[in-house]
Amino acid sequence: MEVVSDIASVRALRRHYGDATLGFVPTMGYLHEGHLELVRRARRENDRVAVSIFVNPTQFGPTEDLSRYPRDLERDLALLRGEGVDFVFAPGDGVIYPPDFQSSALVRGVTQPLEGARRPTHFEGVTTVVAKLFNIVRPTRAYFGQKDAQQVVVVRQMARDLNFDLDVIVCPTVREPDGLAMSSRNKYLEGDQRRAATVLNRALRAAERLWNEDTRDSEALRAAMRDTLAAEPLARVDYVSAADPQTLAEYEGAIPAGAGVLLSMAVFIGRTRLIDNFNLAGAAEQPGE
Ligand code: AMP
């Protein structure tokens, strides 16, 4: 496995691979099984696999956790060696954002609700770094986790709008045995907070139960999530949502027959902000029905 920190080295490797297919997994490091599942899928579906490790400062807001975001490059590289990764791009300081950097990739509509409403500069940071990484690595397929549901919608929109010649592949959320979605930020949870954090999954399952009993009242789905979250004293709700999975527009009242729903939420457990979601398919999306 090669580990490279500059753009010229990535381009040289890509040239060397010629027509081989290349699967690419962008990450911010501090890897867990969620990341590794993306890598494994990329390994199965491509001749070559590349992973980037870069804690992208532009996707963090001024009051967010950039300086304390967990990092452990040596451990990450050991894990990736075990997965048969061909190369890791871990850009050095100033490689992605040199001092005279002044451009961005901006997606409008689907960045506005949900995470975008609470983190106004977040998605511009995400799309800018992802566009740069796509141009540097030139993958055949890029792999993202359903854990960050809006990110997937936003990156797909950007790839389509700006004609990136690649497929965006989405992989299911990997969870701890108690249902907590794996996240590098789970490391921040201390003592009782770790147990309290399972409330996000429990809230999603409460709404899913209603959905499976054919409840299509979006307010009832949001209420089921809110009620579950309210019973956990260590949890403070940022938002809960029942939205159209394609447009991310919040549903009001009844969800149209056959449509799916993206249930999502952001919840503070102490100072740690956790997100989670279930993407529930509608009858119209289930083959054979
Ligand atoms: P991050 O390092 O947090 O930027 O995540 C890198 C990629 O891994 C993103 O596409 C995430 O959606 C994905 N990811 C993070 N956590 C999980 C998880 N628990 N299950 C599946 N994918 C995940």
Side-chain angles (χ1 to χ4, degrees):
M1 186 176 82
E2 305 235 23
V3 180
V4 296
S5 58
D6 67 289
I7 292 167
S9 301
V10 177
R11 294 207 193 283
L13 284 166
R14 188 66 184 106
R15 262 198 311 279
H16 171 69
Y17 295 163
D19 288 338
T21 57
L22 175 61
F24 174 47
V25 182
T27 82
M28 299 206 299
Y30 210 75
L31 303 179
H32 51 64
E33 276 295 307
H35 299 111
L36 297 181
E37 277 299 309
L38 304 186
V39 172
R40 289 172 194 138
R41 172 116 184 243
R43 180 70 282 167
R44 288 198 297 275
E45 296 180 350
N46 299 275
D47 302 323
R48 302 283 191 167
V49 174
V51 175
S52 64
I53 298 178
F54 179 59
V55 180
N56 174 38
T58 63
Q59 70 188 69
F60 288 78
T63 64
E64 294 179 3
D65 56 344
L66 173 62
S67 62
R68 63 185 192 119
Y69 196 84
R71 294 164 166 85
D72 191 343
L73 184 60
E74 285 315 310
R75 180 176 163 276
D76 289 347
L77 296 178
L79 289 170
L80 295 174
R81 274 189 199 99
E83 301 295 340
V85 168
D86 292 276
F87 78 87
V88 174
F89 177 41
D93 281 351
V95 167
I96 297 295
Y97 301 114
D100 66 340
F101 185 82
Q102 43 194 296
S103 301
S104 83
L106 180 64
V107 175
R108 295 193 180 84
V110 290
T111 59
Q112 296 309 299
L114 304 175
E115 289 297 292
R118 277 85 189 170
R119 307 178 70 193
T121 58
H122 172 67
F123 284 117
E124 187 171 356
V126 169
T127 46
T128 300
V129 80
V130 169
K132 286 172 67 74
L133 290 168
F134 284 177
N135 281 327
I136 294 165
V137 175
R138 292 196 297 111
T140 316
R141 300 182 187 88
Y143 294 81
F144 293 85
Q146 177 62 28
K147 165 76 177 16
D148 298 278
Q150 188 173 14
Q151 173 169 277
V152 168
V153 173
V154 168
V155 168
R156 280 220 161 111
Q157 188 71 42
M158 177 190 77
R160 205 166 44 239
D161 288 349
L162 301 184
N163 308 101
F164 282 97
D165 188 14
L166 51 82
D167 289 330
V168 173
I169 313 281
V170 186
C171 303
T173 302
V174 178
R175 297 176 181 281
E176 301 286 355
D178 64 6
L180 176 65
M182 289 193 185
S183 165
S184 308
R185 289 187 167 101
N186 293 349
K187 177 184 162 60
Y188 301 147
L189 300 170
E190 296 169 353
D192 285 353
Q193 295 178 340
R194 171 62 187 79
R195 177 199 47 76
T198 61
V199 76
L200 283 82
N201 181 251
R202 284 185 279 120
L204 290 165
R205 283 192 289 122
E208 182 187 41
R209 262 194 306 279
L210 292 183
W211 177 263
N212 289 340
E213 292 161 4
D214 291 330
T215 300
R216 291 296 179 274
D217 173 2
S218 60
E219 187 45 41
L221 299 174
R222 285 185 291 267
M225 294 188 275
R226 266 195 226 104
D227 290 348
T228 309
L229 294 165
E232 173 47 68
L234 297 186
R236 183 166 59 80
V237 177
D238 192 4
Y239 66 85
V240 300
S241 163
D244 180 313
Q246 273 88 42
T247 65
L248 305 183
E250 196 66 28
Y251 282 130
E252 306 289 343
I255 296 171
V261 63
L262 177 66
L263 304 174
S264 68
M265 61 182 60
V267 176
F268 284 95
I269 306 286
R271 288 167 63 200
T272 306
R273 185 174 182 277
L274 300 177
I275 59 171
D276 202 353
N277 71 87
F278 282 2
N279 193 4
L280 304 180
E285 292 150 306
Q286 281 162 12
E289 284 192 19

